[in-house]
Amino acid sequence: MSRAWASQYRKRINRRHLWMAFIPTSFFIVLGVSAIFLSQGYVSRELGSLADKNLRRVGDAVDLFFGEADSLALGLSTDPELAKSMRSVIKARFETIDDLKAFKSIQSTLGTAVNSRPYLYSILVSVNDSEGLVLSSSEGLVRMAASEDREWLALAAGHESDIRAWTK
């Protein structure tokens, strides 16, 4: 009988020690679970906040880009002397030294406009009756079929009747 009693006593002691160990362990488990939920909420709020900030920053950059592109297009298309010079350069094909000087001046103006704005690749100037010639800030006076930017003309094809500049 003493052996059975000793076995029972050990079981009782083991259960008591198990409960005594379980109480602090359960405290740490509850603490850990609550820390996980709190951190998850904090992290998701911060991610949402960062996403909103990034979207606002991208939106501001796009607004700035379109504002400056419109300003540049308006400035280049409404200056009557510049528009007349560009049209004559595209049509004249360098018949005189004055045509070459006008070309250099226009190329410099277009190059400066592109180089001062890192988001612009090139500016193309096309005249309706130019027989496929365009004035490019990156390539000069070129046939559109041989230009790096030949897809641009296909996109601009529906805008010939527009009086103002077209931006793409």
Side-chain angles (χ1 to χ4, degrees), residues 58-70 119:
V58 167
D60 291 344
V62 168
D63 288 343
L64 175 69
F65 164 71
F66 282 124
E68 282 201 31
D70 287 343
Y119 48 81

Side-chain angles (χ1 to χ4, degrees), residues 86-150:
M86 287 190 286
R87 179 171 277 122
S88 70
V89 163
I90 292 172
K91 288 182 178 183
R93 301 191 186 140
F94 309 114
E95 294 174 355
T96 66
I97 192 75
D98 290 333
D99 294 336
L100 185 59
K101 286 179 182 176
F103 170 73
K104 292 274 189 199
S105 173
I106 292 169
Q107 193 67 21
S108 173
T109 301
L110 295 178
T112 301
V114 168
N115 292 333
S116 65
R117 292 165 180 86
Y119 48 81
L120 286 181
Y121 172 70
S122 66
I123 296 175
L124 299 173
V125 178
S126 175
V127 179
N128 287 342
D129 55 347
S130 64
E131 300 169 11
L133 290 175
V134 293
L135 185 58
S136 168
S137 63
S138 60
E139 299 177 81
L141 190 63
V142 293
R143 291 218 169 269
M144 198 62 201
S147 173
E148 293 177 359
D149 300 317
R150 60 185 158 270

Side-chain angles (χ1 to χ4, degrees), residues 7 20 42 46 53 74 76 80 87 90 102 118 122 124 136 162:
S7 173
M20 288 172 59
Y42 174 75
E46 284 299 311
K53 287 177 186 175
L74 185 65
L76 290 175
R87 179 171 277 122
I90 292 172
S122 66
L124 299 173
S136 168
D162 290 348

